[in-house]
Every structure is written in structure tokens, then in C-alpha cells.
């Protein structure tokens, strides 16, 4: 029975589906609400960067999650998602890094799980259950 629980490929698939699938919801929300991209562009302009870079969020929250879900260029997908989360940390959440929420958890636990889950995908790769296993 316990040997049945030793399935690295299934664990990697679950991680890819969870991180990619949940991050994809954020990207689809941005596609359905183009004003959010304008908001991100305004934040970028506030840092002296061109506002068109806001469209990069679609790479990190739509294209990369789809890549991770199907298991194609999975390590690159993980890197893109992790980079997306680092930019989100820097642009939006820097003031919350050392804060706790009302339940005593880290204020950025969702963002942290996305970041560290994406990094795990970078280091673990796709596993056997993928379009292009690595």
C-alpha cells in the first residue's frame, strides 16, 4: 500500500495542475477586465517604466500556466510564473512582506504559495505525465 504512494510523476502533475490552474484564474480575470492591465500599467509608470510592460502579466498568468498545465517547457513556465510573482511582490506587496493577516498567517501566503510552487516546478520539471516530459 505505501509503495503506491511513491509516485513522483503524479505528484509533479498535481503540483503543475494546482499552481498553473490557480494562477490561470488570475490571468483570465485580467483578460476579462482590461482595466486591471491599465492599473498595472499605471503602477509601472509610477516606477518610471513603460506601461506596455503590463501586458507581460498575461505571459506570467495565462501563457506560462497553460504551459505548466500541459507539461510543455515546464521549467521555463515555472520560471515565468515565479518572475511574475516577484514583480507582483515588488509592485504591489512590498509593504505586506512582514505583516500577518487577521488569522495569524502571513499576509502574502497566497502570493508566497504561487512563488514557491512555481520555483518547485522550476526545479522538479514536468515529470512523466506531460506533453513533453523533461
Amino acid at each position: 500500500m505505501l509503495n503506491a504512494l511513491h509516485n513522483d510523476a503524479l505528484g509533479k502533475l498535481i503540483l503543475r495542475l494546482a499552481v498553473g490552474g490557480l494562477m490561470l484564474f488570475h490571468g483570465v480575470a485580467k483578460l476579462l477586465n482590461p482595466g486591471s492591465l491599465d492599473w498595472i500599467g499605471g503602477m509601472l509608470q509610477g516606477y518610471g517604466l513603460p506601461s506596455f510592460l503590463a501586458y507581460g502579466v498575461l505571459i506570467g498568468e495565462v501563457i506560462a500556466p497553460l504551459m505548466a498545465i500541459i507539461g510543455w517547457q515546464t521549467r521555463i513556465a515555472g520560471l515565468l510564473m515565479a518572475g511574475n510573482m516577484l514583480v507582483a511582490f515588488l509592485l504591489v506587496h512590498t509593504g505586506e512582506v512582514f505583516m500577518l493577516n487577521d488569522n495569524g498567517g502571513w499576509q502574502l501566503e497566497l502570493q508566497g504559495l504561487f512563488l514557491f510552487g512555481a520555483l518547485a516546478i522550476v526545479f522538479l520539471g514536468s515529470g512523466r505525465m506531460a506533453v513533453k516530459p523533461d
Side-chain angles (χ1 to χ4, degrees), residues 24 32 93:
L24 184 60
L32 296 176
H93 301 290

Side-chain angles (χ1 to χ4, degrees), residues 9 12-21 24 62-75 77-78 81 121 125-134:
K12 291 174 183 179
L13 174 65
I14 292 169
L15 180 65
R16 287 187 358 247
L17 293 177
V19 174
L24 184 60
V62 175
I63 295 171
L66 288 172
M67 290 168 61
I69 289 167
I70 65 171
W72 179 75
Q73 298 293 328
T74 306
R75 293 177 195 269
M81 290 187 290
I121 290 171
S126 65
R128 287 179 289 127
M129 298 177 184
V131 168
K132 185 181 175 204
D134 57 358

Side-chain angles (χ1 to χ4, degrees), residues 18-132:
V19 174
L22 293 172
M23 182 141 342
L24 184 60
F25 282 115
H26 291 269
V28 169
K30 287 177 179 70
L31 283 173
L32 296 176
N33 181 13
S36 61
L37 292 174
D38 295 335
W39 179 77
I40 294 168
M43 293 196 74
L44 288 166
Q45 281 183 328
Y47 284 97
L49 298 168
S51 63
F52 74 86
L53 291 177
Y55 290 98
V57 76
L58 298 177
I59 294 170
E61 292 185 8
V62 175
I63 295 171
L66 288 172
M67 290 168 61
I69 289 167
I70 65 171
W72 179 75
Q73 298 293 328
T74 306
R75 293 177 195 269
I76 294 170
L79 196 59
L80 290 169
M81 290 187 290
N84 183 76
M85 291 313 303
L86 285 173
V87 171
F89 267 80
L90 293 171
L91 285 181
V92 182
H93 301 290
T94 52
E96 300 169 302
V97 171
F98 298 108
M99 293 177 66
L100 299 178
N101 62 25
D102 293 336
N103 299 318
W106 186 31
Q107 184 72 27
L108 299 177
E109 57 192 22
L110 176 64
Q111 294 86 353
L113 280 171
F114 280 143
L115 172 63
F116 296 118
L119 286 175
I121 290 171
V122 170
F123 292 110
L124 292 171
S126 65
R128 287 179 289 127
M129 298 177 184
V131 168
K132 185 181 175 204

